Amino acid sequence: SERLQDLWDHYLADRRQDGKDTTRQENAWKRLYPVFGQRMGTDVSKDDCRAYNSLRQRQGAAPGTIKTELEYLRACLNLRYGRGHNRVWLPMGSPPRDRYLSRDDLEQLLEHVSTPHVRLFIILAVTTGARMSALLELQWTQVDFIHRTVNFNPVGRQQTNKRRPVVPLNSRAFEALEEAARGALTDWVIEWDGKPLRSVKKAIRMAAKRSGVPCSPHVFRHSAGVWMAQADVPMQKISQFLGHTSTRVTEQTYVLRHGKSTRQYNRCCRFMQ
């Protein structure tokens, strides 16, 4: 059958076969299904996607959320028909987020975090610039204590547009990992109650509230990029560090919007060294 419901089931099964998590796709389908579920895959048009965008806007969804949902729809159809053979229209996403931390912000936040796995997550996130999903899926076999590096792309995982690079560890990250390894109960670096986690968003949100430092998992990654840009680290190196597919994204996000280094934030950048 060419019904989108059936194509979607095949899409999820294909991802699971490659060992990929499907939680986000499953959640997106709850929104996509009422509009597209019974449609034929070959019938989806740009106008259908524009109508879906308008519907989700009326429901209060953020632009970035709507774009992600339609990107999953496109990926589903690409799997069946090949790239460029479907007509999924994508809206503009949310504007880039400018919030980033200073070193003082970071220390103030950590003063209000006593839970070991949350503290470890924050330290690794801000020193490696890794995405939340990469950190939560990180296993001890990916940590090289001899060469002081972390390979965020595990064996068997294919690289996607959200690339997962090999990243060097600074002293603070290395020491935090050494301490965590001594008490590890599972194969996962970020664990709680003997289990891996799917999200730390709530824990970070509560820590932000206690400390008075507004932040989210993405803010840590953004801070890593900003600090390097302000320290005049070459764009190519920042791009590789953050796993960007090109320096164009890096330049637009961290140079054009944040400018060159200042004395205030050069002090922050020493945390990265």
Side-chain angles (χ1 to χ4, degrees), residues 206-266:
M206 297 302 294
K209 184 176 181 180
R210 290 194 302 271
S211 65
V213 178
C215 63
S216 68
H218 180 80
V219 166
F220 304 132
R221 173 175 167 81
H222 192 57
S223 298
V226 169
W227 292 356
M228 285 188 286
Q230 291 171 331
D232 292 328
V233 173
M235 281 299 103
Q236 184 67 33
K237 188 171 183 179
I238 299 176
S239 182
Q240 293 172 352
F241 194 90
L242 296 175
H244 290 160
T245 53
S246 72
T247 58
R248 181 179 58 83
V249 176
T250 314
E251 290 168 354
Q252 289 177 340
T253 304
Y254 298 107
V255 176
L256 300 182
R257 287 172 31 230
H258 293 287
K260 294 186 177 181
S261 59
T262 64
R263 180 177 299 176
Q264 176 185 4
Y265 284 102
N266 274 338

Side-chain angles (χ1 to χ4, degrees), residues 1-53:
S1 172
E2 298 291 309
R3 279 190 323 144
L4 258 166
Q5 174 66 74
D6 300 317
L7 296 180
W8 190 265
D9 291 340
H10 177 65
Y11 167 58
L12 295 186
D14 184 73
R15 287 186 61 84
R16 294 184 187 115
Q17 190 172 355
D18 288 337
K20 298 177 181 177
D21 183 71
T22 60
T23 302
R24 293 182 179 179
Q25 287 78 8
E26 291 169 15
N27 289 335
W29 188 241
K30 295 175 184 177
R31 304 295 185 183
L32 290 164
Y33 174 78
V35 176
F36 296 105
Q38 299 305 314
R39 298 285 299 277
M40 301 299 287
T42 53
D43 290 343
V44 176
S45 69
K46 291 183 179 180
D47 285 341
D48 293 329
C49 298
R50 293 187 181 101
Y52 179 81
N53 178 58

Side-chain angles (χ1 to χ4, degrees), residues 4-267:
L4 258 166
Q5 174 66 74
D6 300 317
L7 296 180
W8 190 265
D9 291 340
H10 177 65
Y11 167 58
L12 295 186
D14 184 73
R15 287 186 61 84
R16 294 184 187 115
Q17 190 172 355
D18 288 337
K20 298 177 181 177
D21 183 71
T22 60
T23 302
R24 293 182 179 179
Q25 287 78 8
E26 291 169 15
N27 289 335
W29 188 241
K30 295 175 184 177
R31 304 295 185 183
L32 290 164
Y33 174 78
V35 176
F36 296 105
Q38 299 305 314
R39 298 285 299 277
M40 301 299 287
T42 53
D43 290 343
V44 176
S45 69
K46 291 183 179 180
D47 285 341
D48 293 329
C49 298
R50 293 187 181 101
Y52 179 81
N53 178 58
S54 297
L55 171 65
R56 294 291 284 126
Q57 284 180 335
R58 292 194 297 273
Q59 293 173 344
T65 299
I66 303 170
K67 183 180 180 183
T68 297
E69 291 167 354
L70 288 171
E71 284 176 336
Y72 292 151
L73 177 66
R74 181 178 63 179
C76 172
L77 293 175
N78 281 345
L79 179 65
R80 173 64 183 87
Y81 303 111
R83 292 182 180 274
H85 291 280
N86 66 75
R87 293 166 290 178
V88 174
W89 170 87
L90 296 178
M92 294 290 291
S94 300
R97 288 162 282 191
D98 284 315
R99 171 68 183 165
Y100 60 94
L101 305 180
S102 69
R103 178 170 180 166
D104 289 341
D105 287 336
L106 178 63
E107 297 305 333
Q108 182 176 335
L109 176 67
L110 288 174
E111 284 178 5
H112 292 80
V113 177
S114 57
T115 311
H117 73 281
V118 179
R119 188 178 183 86
L120 178 61
F121 176 90
I122 293 172
I123 291 173
L124 292 180
V126 81
T127 57
T128 67
R131 296 178 178 88
M132 181 178 73
S133 57
L135 284 168
L136 296 185
E137 293 171 13
L138 182 65
Q139 298 192 38
W140 288 111
T141 53
Q142 296 166 245
V143 181
D144 186 339
F145 284 103
I146 296 176
H147 298 98
R148 294 188 170 219
T149 60
V150 171
N151 183 353
F152 282 107
N153 198 55
V155 175
R157 178 189 179 273
Q158 293 183 344
Q159 286 284 14
T160 66
N161 287 338
K162 293 187 175 181
R163 299 185 64 80
R164 295 190 180 183
V166 177
V167 175
L169 297 168
N170 70 6
S171 296
R172 191 167 193 176
F174 183 79
E175 291 168 4
L177 282 169
E178 276 194 321
E179 181 180 355
R182 288 193 288 269
L185 299 175
T186 72
D187 294 334
W188 283 268
V189 173
I190 308 294
E191 62 177 11
W192 171 248
D193 195 24
K195 300 174 184 177
L197 290 95
R198 286 194 171 186
S199 177
V200 292
K201 288 183 178 180
K202 182 177 179 180
I204 299 300
R205 188 164 58 246
M206 297 302 294
K209 184 176 181 180
R210 290 194 302 271
S211 65
V213 178
C215 63
S216 68
H218 180 80
V219 166
F220 304 132
R221 173 175 167 81
H222 192 57
S223 298
V226 169
W227 292 356
M228 285 188 286
Q230 291 171 331
D232 292 328
V233 173
M235 281 299 103
Q236 184 67 33
K237 188 171 183 179
I238 299 176
S239 182
Q240 293 172 352
F241 194 90
L242 296 175
H244 290 160
T245 53
S246 72
T247 58
R248 181 179 58 83
V249 176
T250 314
E251 290 168 354
Q252 289 177 340
T253 304
Y254 298 107
V255 176
L256 300 182
R257 287 172 31 230
H258 293 287
K260 294 186 177 181
S261 59
T262 64
R263 180 177 299 176
Q264 176 185 4
Y265 284 102
N266 274 338
R267 187 166 58 89

